[in-house]
Amino acid sequence: MEKLNTIEKIIVRENKTLKLNNVLIREIVQNELMDINTISYMMDSYIKSKGNTAVGPMINYTTTEVENDQMKLVLKLMVQLKNPIVNMEKPYEFKSQIRVPNCLFARFNEKEENLQFAYSKLQLHAFENDIKLKGDSYTVFVDQKEDNLMADVFMEIQKGGEGLGGI
């Protein structure tokens, strides 16, 4: 008899809201994609140099933009801070609050290399339920134990995505 895995690897929920406060944001440009760990470390140093502390885990924001008829990946690293930062230097930006209502949500609990399945499962759920996604995602790296990663993925639903549109 087949033994069922009691811990679900990916749990999907609808209508979740992502709320972030005192958010330090750093956009990753194309030629930095291989240096994310270094940039994350530099963000940490920057926060400490401002006499501040990070609260909670790192968040990755991704979306795509069209630039000169080319699809371009936009990646931003975000971290919540204990206190606001004034006098922000480039390449950092600061938002006192980010609130993203009406998201599809997945709690991922598995090996990190399988994280793409959380995005796929959300996209499939959206497809099966006629939900239009905006095309961006927020990935919150909740916890890492041995080779298992716990991450929360939020995908914003297009406003006006409910209903039958222009029929």
Side-chain angles (χ1 to χ4, degrees):
M1 206 169 122
E2 185 187 355
K3 184 178 178 282
L4 292 172
N5 186 350
T6 52
I7 295 176
E8 281 188 74
K9 294 178 183 185
I10 304 172
I11 299 162
V12 173
R13 298 280 181 267
E14 289 184 20
N15 205 12
K16 289 287 193 181
T17 298
L18 173 67
K19 284 186 217 111
L20 305 171
N21 293 311
N22 294 331
V23 188
L24 180 69
I25 303 164
R26 164 75 155 80
E27 184 165 343
I28 308 298
V29 292
Q30 232 52 33
N31 62 352
E32 296 176 319
L33 287 173
M34 302 316 291
D35 303 318
I36 294 210
N37 289 343
T38 308
I39 289 166
S40 164
Y41 178 79
M42 286 164 59
M43 277 180 86
D44 228 31
S45 301
Y46 181 75
I47 292 164
K48 288 187 178 100
S49 78
K50 292 288 188 183
N52 214 324
T53 39
V55 177
M58 181 69 73
I59 300 134
N60 278 12
Y61 170 78
T62 56
T63 190
T64 51
E65 290 175 353
V66 178
E67 194 176 89
N68 304 328
D69 295 332
Q70 297 281 313
M71 285 297 266
K72 177 185 162 225
L73 177 73
V74 177
L75 172 63
K76 295 181 180 187
L77 296 184
M78 305 194 300
V79 67
Q80 296 182 90
L81 304 176
K82 188 173 179 186
N83 302 301
I85 290 182
V86 289
N87 301 333
M88 187 65 48
E89 290 97 2
K90 293 272 179 226
Y92 300 104
E93 57 179 302
F94 179 82
K95 286 199 164 60
S96 57
Q97 188 177 62
I98 294 175
R99 194 170 180 280
V100 191
N102 199 15
C103 289
L104 267 188
F105 165 85
R107 161 65 53 93
F108 173 83
N109 206 340
E110 235 274 330
K111 292 183 178 65
E112 186 169 0
E113 65 260 27
N114 294 327
L115 180 59
Q116 82 263 15
F117 294 122
Y119 302 104
S120 301
K121 189 165 182 176
L122 285 173
Q123 288 160 342
L124 182 62
H125 180 90
F127 170 74
E128 289 178 334
N129 294 281
D130 295 318
I131 296 169
K132 288 215 180 339
L133 295 171
K134 193 174 159 197
D136 56 1
S137 67
Y138 296 82
T139 305
V140 182
F141 294 94
V142 180
D143 197 16
Q144 181 121 33
K145 286 198 180 79
E146 287 104 52
D147 59 352
N148 257 26
L149 170 73
M150 183 186 288
D152 289 344
V153 180
F154 293 81
M155 286 188 177
E156 197 174 349
I157 293 172
Q158 267 184 17
K159 290 178 182 35
E162 305 81 46
L164 297 171
I167 296 177

